[in-house]
Amino acid sequence: MKNPDKPLKILLVEDNHAMSTVIIELLAHTQLSLSVTSTNTGQGALNQLDANRFDCVLLDYELPDYNANEVLKRLQGKRQLSMPIIILTGHSRQN
């Protein structure tokens, strides 16, 4: 069970600086105690996940080096995925 005195550790993976800023500001307006670490590449996410433990990952679908599917495939080869990973995108699908 999570210690209520410790902030939830969030990894934000977003290559758009403006979008990253908006997400961090929105998270700051919650009632949750959060610690947000951010990176702007898939490789940066993999490096952070190798070095640190997070409670949740917010992962942009399209990154400069990998897309979210590629990041997830690389994670599966290394460890069991034990934290929620929420995939974000700013693109809408056109039919």
Side-chain angles (χ1 to χ4, degrees):
M1 178 174 274
K2 182 77 177 147
N3 180 343
D5 296 330
K6 289 182 82 176
L8 292 172
K9 291 182 68 176
I10 307 281
L11 176 60
L12 173 60
V13 187
E14 172 60 67
D15 63 321
N16 181 307
H17 180 71
M19 184 62 71
S20 183
T21 300
V22 168
I23 292 168
I24 290 170
E25 286 180 15
L26 287 171
L27 290 171
H29 285 87
T30 69
Q31 298 295 321
L32 301 172
S33 174
L34 303 173
S35 170
V36 180
T37 301
S38 61
T39 186
N40 60 4
T41 64
Q43 188 59 55
L46 296 171
N47 294 344
Q48 284 291 332
L49 289 164
D50 279 342
N52 302 290
R53 185 179 173 111
F54 293 94
D55 298 304
C56 182
V57 178
L58 302 176
L59 176 62
D60 185 20
Y61 184 79
E62 285 191 42
L63 297 163
D65 53 353
Y66 305 129
N67 68 33
N69 290 331
E70 293 166 323
V71 171
L72 293 174
K73 284 179 188 174
R74 290 172 190 263
L75 283 174
Q76 280 183 317
K78 292 185 176 188
R79 68 179 71 75
Q80 297 234 353
L81 300 177
S82 60
M83 85 286 294
I85 299 176
I86 301 168
I87 298 175
L88 311 170
T89 184
H91 300 281
S92 63
R93 184 174 175 181
Q94 301 290 324
N95 288 344

